[in-house]
């Protein structure tokens, strides 16, 4: 059962249980239904009751094929052993009951389980699925919105949960990345010559050679933004939580704890002329040094609690987590981190991201 791991349920209980009803169907041009248990791809898919000819499709891809821009697709709980391509369509693909009961496991062919590679933008919305047991998702030059999804136990050469390439810029909100493994870069997310925004996400137990949770290389014109996220028990050789290479990521209001880099950068490792920024964050008990730069890079840290200290307006004091060993990273009353942040460090254009 991919949901047996509950390491961080104290801190982010809504990550895999966000109410998918927030996206209504009344404003959609057409709503299609999918039910893997009793649907039929020969039906029209316009009703949720399994009766021909209007009943639900059996496969998610059949609904995507039938849908047009502005349409919605509602997927019944179940396990869908298929890989899907959003085909560039601006539609809302959501589960009826949330990620805990709606799984996409791929078609067994070894490719990506979810593909956005035909110009998808922010109006392509994927919400409330667990993507597991395959090679996760790819955004190739695309910028979809992904909400309340769980990426668990995926494997790939790089970006085991999500690979972003070719100036893509997806936005991920309230997602969970748990136990994903990459041979090279980005145990959870690999951003390759692209951008990515993650808001209120949990990265737990991911691993890679570089960037156990997130690796970003050659961002170019893309922006890597990380806000209100938790990085816990991720591992790598370099950059157990985050690796920056020729990038300038911006991390705000995040917590890094119990991540372990065997060489350097338990929380963050930066190299190849990188200039990342960390604001209003807690970096504590991460192996391999909290923040490590090579000789060409400079990380700017402010209003953060960094174990061992870091130059700038920062502190070095036990953050007083409720139970760090059990993954409860809430702060006890009297923590030195309470009311110690600087709201001016949050970019204005991030105000509506969470």
């Amino acid at each position: 059962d991919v949901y047996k791991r509950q390491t961080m349920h104290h801190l982010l209980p809504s990550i895999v249980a966000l109410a998918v009803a927030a996206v209504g169907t009344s404003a959609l041009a057409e709503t299609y239904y999918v039910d893997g248990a009793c649907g039929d791809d020969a039906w029209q898919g316009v009703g949720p009751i399994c009766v021909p000819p209007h009943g639900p499709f059996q496969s998610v891809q059949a609904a995507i094929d039938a849908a047009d821009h502005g349409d919605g697709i509602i997927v019944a709980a179940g396990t869908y052993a298929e890989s899907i391509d959003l085909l560039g369509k601006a539609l809302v693909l959501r589960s009826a009951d949330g990620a805990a009961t709606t799984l996409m496991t791929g078609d067994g062919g070894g490719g990506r389980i979810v593909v956005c590679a035909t110009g998808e933008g922010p109006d392509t919305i994927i919400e409330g699925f667990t993507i597991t047991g395959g090679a996760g998702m790819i955004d190739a030059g695309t910028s979809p919105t992904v909400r309340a999804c769980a990426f668990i136990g995926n494997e790939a050469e790089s970006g085991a949960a999500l690979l972003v390439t070719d100036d893509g810029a997806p936005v991920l909100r309230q997602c969970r990345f748990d136990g994903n493994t990459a041979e090279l870069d980005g145990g959870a997310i690999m951003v390759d010559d692209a951008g990515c925004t993650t808001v209120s996400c949990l990265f737990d137990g991911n691993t890679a050679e570089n960037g156990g949770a997130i690796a970003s290389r050659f961002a170019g014109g893309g922006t890597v933004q990380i806000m209100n996220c938790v990085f816990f028990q991720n591992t790598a050789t370099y950059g157990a939580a985050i690796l920056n290479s020729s990038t300038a990521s911006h991390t705000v209001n995040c917590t890094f704890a119990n991540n372990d880099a065997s060489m350097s950068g338990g929380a963050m490792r930066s190299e190849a002329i990188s200039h990342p920024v960390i604001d209003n964050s807690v970096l504590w008990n991460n192996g391999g040094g909290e923040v490590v730069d090579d000789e060409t890079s400079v990380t700017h840290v402010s209003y953060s609690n960094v174990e061992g200290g870091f130059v700038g307006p920062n502190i070095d004091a036990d953050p007083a987590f409720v139970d760090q060993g059990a993954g409860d990273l809430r702060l006890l009353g009297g923590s030195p981190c309470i009311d110690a942040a600087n709201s001016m460090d949050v970019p204005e254009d991030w105000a509506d991201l969470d």
Side-chain angles (χ1 to χ4, degrees):
D1 185 338
V2 298
Y3 269 84
K4 286 183 178 178
R5 295 194 66 194
Q6 297 294 327
T7 307
M8 296 296 296
H9 72 280
H10 299 289
L11 187 67
L12 296 174
S14 65
I15 283 177
V16 295
L18 184 72
V20 295
V23 178
T25 59
S26 59
L28 301 174
E30 183 69 78
T31 300
Y32 293 94
Y33 296 87
V34 178
D35 192 321
C38 63
D40 191 319
D41 284 350
W43 295 346
Q44 296 174 10
V46 294
I49 307 302
C50 290
V51 176
H54 301 298
F57 294 117
Q58 184 178 46
S59 69
V60 178
Q61 189 62 54
I64 295 171
D65 292 344
D68 202 348
H69 297 295
D71 289 345
I73 300 171
I74 299 175
V75 181
T79 298
Y80 294 83
E82 59 176 305
S83 299
I84 64 170
D85 189 328
L86 276 294
L87 302 175
K89 297 181 179 181
L91 52 79
V92 178
L93 172 63
R94 67 180 180 92
S95 67
D97 296 319
T101 58
T102 316
L103 283 65
M104 292 188 184
T105 60
D107 59 11
R112 294 283 169 174
I113 297 174
V114 178
V115 175
C116 291
T118 322
E120 291 86 353
D123 291 336
T124 298
I125 299 171
I126 302 169
E127 182 171 323
F129 295 92
T130 291
I131 299 167
T132 183
M137 179 176 180
I138 184 169
D139 294 342
T142 62
S143 305
T145 301
V146 182
R147 297 195 295 232
C149 287
F151 296 80
I152 299 178
N154 296 286
E155 298 182 358
E157 183 177 73
S158 291
L162 173 63
L163 177 63
V164 187
T165 66
D166 303 317
D167 295 319
V171 175
L172 300 102
R173 295 186 175 97
Q174 292 182 297
C175 291
R176 172 182 172 184
F177 299 85
D178 190 346
N180 302 285
T181 302
E183 295 177 26
L184 298 178
D185 297 334
I189 299 175
M190 170 60 177
V191 183
D192 185 3
D193 198 15
C196 185
T197 297
T198 59
V199 181
S200 300
C201 293
L202 165 66
F203 297 85
D204 181 5
N206 304 285
T207 188
E209 178 71 14
N210 305 295
I214 299 175
S216 175
R217 294 188 183 275
F218 313 110
T223 302
V224 178
Q225 302 181 120
I226 306 162
M227 184 176 185
N228 294 343
C229 292
V230 173
F231 297 84
F232 184 72
Q233 294 184 334
N234 301 285
T235 60
T237 303
Y238 296 96
I242 298 174
L243 175 90
N244 300 295
S245 181
S246 300
T247 59
S249 64
H250 192 176
T251 301
V252 178
N253 297 350
C254 291
T255 299
F256 300 79
N258 294 27
N259 303 285
D260 187 41
S262 60
M263 292 298 294
S264 69
M268 182 177 290
R269 157 82 179 182
S270 299
E271 60 189 31
I273 316 179
S274 293
H275 299 281
V277 174
I278 301 173
D279 293 319
N280 301 347
S281 295
V282 179
L283 299 82
W284 202 261
N285 195 41
N286 298 290
E290 299 294 336
V291 178
V292 179
D293 297 328
D294 76 357
E295 63 277 7
T296 70
S297 302
V298 177
T299 299
H300 299 275
V301 183
S302 64
Y303 296 96
S304 295
N305 187 5
V306 184
E307 185 173 20
F310 201 90
V311 63
N314 302 298
I315 61 174
D316 174 13
D318 187 339
F321 295 127
V322 170
D323 189 344
Q324 182 172 347
D328 188 345
L329 303 185
R330 293 174 299 166
L331 300 176
L332 292 168
S335 166
C337 302
I338 295 174
D339 296 329
N342 181 11
S343 61
M344 298 300 293
D345 284 338
V346 180
E348 292 183 5
D349 60 347
W350 288 29
D352 63 347
L353 285 179
D354 61 347

